[in-house]
Amino acid sequence: MSIELYWGSGSTPAWRVLLALSAKNLPFTSHLLSFSKRETRTPEFLAINPRGKVPTLKDGDLVINESLAILAYLDSAYPAVPLLGRTAAETGEIWRLVMEYESHGSPTFGAVARPISFGTLAQDETKVREALPALIAELDLLAARVANGPLVGGTLSAADLVWFCGVQTLVRAATRPAAAPLDLGVWPLGARWPAIVRWAGLIEALPGYDATMPPHWLEGDVPSPARVE
Ligand SMILES: N[C@@H](CCC(=O)N[C@@H](CS)C(=O)NCC(=O)O)C(=O)O
């Protein structure tokens, strides 16, 4: 086994894979690519990922692109700590929740977080306000689902990792100075959704969690909290 991961700071799909490698306690060689230096567009990287996107995982000669495919591969190749279920019923539940994130969580969180994070609030503020009720409904649903801990089967799974990365990108946006005048009413999350903060703490307690945090979130001009609050 010789796992290598190509990833980028702040990429939610890449973060899922970093968390999965931590949860599974799998050592790997890290290749942190810079988006601003266009390191995802070099001929060397395009040779292994023609779409120029991270994450990309190599395991020996095998190359896998797409974060969910990488999670599926890791679970099949390294099943000691399963993240996609211990039974068929759990596997179905976990995939349902992962796909719910892709279909519902991601666009809903993104409708609020992206204009803040990408500096387009001036033109998109109305759209952000219109997106808020759906965001609050998603957070209410998530809080109910994690009231007793992990989403499926009492143990952390890919569903938790996928939703967690989405929540973190939302927290990152909500705590940026640009978001302050909006008075989104979603920060701190713990005021309204303490169950989400408790559940996030389970993922944040994974060994090596700190090393999975997007480096520029911690060091940059607008530092983010390392933990969901
Ligand atoms: N569906 C892909 C999404 C990958 C993706 O969009 N990655 C973005 C970062 S979040 C990227 O690498 N962008 C770099 C670029 O477009 O140059 C996955 O889940 O892996």
Side-chain angles (χ1 to χ4, degrees), residues 6-17 33-35 38-41 45 49 51-56 65-70 102 114 118:
Y6 296 77
W7 61 288
S9 183
S11 159
T12 309
W15 200 357
R16 298 166 174 174
V17 176
L33 303 187
S34 159
F35 296 125
R38 297 186 60 78
E39 288 176 351
T40 51
R41 300 302 155 115
F45 186 65
N49 188 335
R51 296 190 189 276
K53 305 279 183 196
V54 288
T56 288
N65 295 313
E66 288 291 329
S67 59
L68 298 182
I70 294 171
E102 299 292 88
R114 291 177 76 84
F118 295 129

Side-chain angles (χ1 to χ4, degrees), residues 28-145:
F28 67 98
T29 302
S30 164
H31 300 286
L32 174 58
L33 303 187
S34 159
F35 296 125
S36 57
K37 292 184 189 152
R38 297 186 60 78
E39 288 176 351
T40 51
R41 300 302 155 115
T42 62
E44 293 77 21
F45 186 65
L46 290 173
I48 56 171
N49 188 335
R51 296 190 189 276
K53 305 279 183 196
V54 288
T56 288
L57 183 121
K58 282 179 76 180
D59 195 0
D61 291 335
L62 184 72
V63 175
I64 315 252
N65 295 313
E66 288 291 329
S67 59
L68 298 182
I70 294 171
L71 296 187
Y73 167 74
L74 289 175
D75 229 46
S76 185
Y78 304 100
V81 179
L83 292 175
L84 286 168
R86 294 158 300 189
T87 63
E90 281 187 3
T91 300
E93 273 286 277
I94 291 165
W95 273 114
R96 175 181 65 77
L97 287 159
V98 166
M99 297 320 295
E100 273 194 35
Y101 178 78
E102 299 292 88
S103 305
H104 303 284
S106 176
T108 306
F109 289 7
V112 173
R114 291 177 76 84
I116 300 169
S117 297
F118 295 129
T120 61
L121 257 188
Q123 63 265 37
D124 289 337
E125 182 173 339
T126 306
K127 284 190 206 154
V128 168
R129 291 199 182 284
E130 286 169 1
L132 257 188
L135 172 69
I136 287 167
E138 281 298 334
L139 291 170
D140 284 344
L141 185 58
L142 178 63
R145 286 173 166 170

Side-chain angles (χ1 to χ4, degrees), residues 121-179:
L121 257 188
Q123 63 265 37
D124 289 337
E125 182 173 339
T126 306
K127 284 190 206 154
V128 168
R129 291 199 182 284
E130 286 169 1
L132 257 188
L135 172 69
I136 287 167
E138 281 298 334
L139 291 170
D140 284 344
L141 185 58
L142 178 63
R145 286 173 166 170
V146 298
N148 296 317
L151 282 161
V152 179
T155 183
L156 288 177
S157 73
D160 299 289
L161 306 186
V162 164
W163 278 89
F164 172 82
C165 293
V167 167
Q168 272 281 23
T169 55
L170 181 66
V171 168
R172 161 91 175 153
T175 52
R176 287 171 84 94

